[in-house]
PDB file of all heavy atoms in Angstrom:
ATOM      1  N   ALA A  75     300.498 108.520 -19.224  1.00  0.00           N
ATOM      2  CA  ALA A  75     300.147 108.612 -17.828  1.00  0.00           C
ATOM      3  C   ALA A  75     301.071 109.598 -17.078  1.00  0.00           C
ATOM      4  O   ALA A  75     302.310 109.515 -17.306  1.00  0.00           O
ATOM      5  CB  ALA A  75     300.156 107.262 -17.153  1.00  0.00           C
ATOM      6  N   ALA A 113     310.915 104.528 -24.115  1.00  0.00           N
ATOM      7  CA  ALA A 113     312.034 105.030 -24.933  1.00  0.00           C
ATOM      8  C   ALA A 113     313.387 104.747 -24.219  1.00  0.00           C
ATOM      9  O   ALA A 113     313.356 104.260 -23.033  1.00  0.00           O
ATOM     10  CB  ALA A 113     311.842 106.584 -25.164  1.00  0.00           C
ATOM     11  N   GLY A 405     243.327 160.804   7.411  1.00  0.00           N
ATOM     12  CA  GLY A 405     242.345 161.862   7.142  1.00  0.00           C
ATOM     13  C   GLY A 405     241.093 161.425   6.474  1.00  0.00           C
ATOM     14  O   GLY A 405     240.046 162.063   6.495  1.00  0.00           O
ATOM     15  N   GLN A 456     247.572 153.732  15.328  1.00  0.00           N
ATOM     16  CA  GLN A 456     248.433 154.377  14.470  1.00  0.00           C
ATOM     17  C   GLN A 456     249.130 155.649  15.179  1.00  0.00           C
ATOM     18  O   GLN A 456     250.327 155.878  15.015  1.00  0.00           O
ATOM     19  CB  GLN A 456     247.777 154.905  13.194  1.00  0.00           C
ATOM     20  CG  GLN A 456     248.613 155.572  12.138  1.00  0.00           C
ATOM     21  CD  GLN A 456     247.939 155.944  10.923  1.00  0.00           C
ATOM     22  OE1 GLN A 456     246.777 155.732  10.772  1.00  0.00           O
ATOM     23  NE2 GLN A 456     248.628 156.558   9.985  1.00  0.00           N
ATOM     24  N   PRO A 516     266.950 168.131   8.673  1.00  0.00           N
ATOM     25  CA  PRO A 516     266.770 167.357   7.418  1.00  0.00           C
ATOM     26  C   PRO A 516     268.070 166.612   7.010  1.00  0.00           C
ATOM     27  O   PRO A 516     267.985 165.602   6.307  1.00  0.00           O
ATOM     28  CB  PRO A 516     266.413 168.426   6.359  1.00  0.00           C
ATOM     29  CG  PRO A 516     265.944 169.607   7.142  1.00  0.00           C
ATOM     30  CD  PRO A 516     266.692 169.524   8.491  1.00  0.00           C
ATOM     31  N   GLY A 523     259.143 163.966   7.741  1.00  0.00           N
ATOM     32  CA  GLY A 523     258.373 165.136   8.192  1.00  0.00           C
ATOM     33  C   GLY A 523     256.843 164.886   8.051  1.00  0.00           C
ATOM     34  O   GLY A 523     256.053 165.826   7.782  1.00  0.00           O
TER      35      GLY A 523
END
Side-chain angles (χ1 to χ4, degrees):
Q456 183 179 356

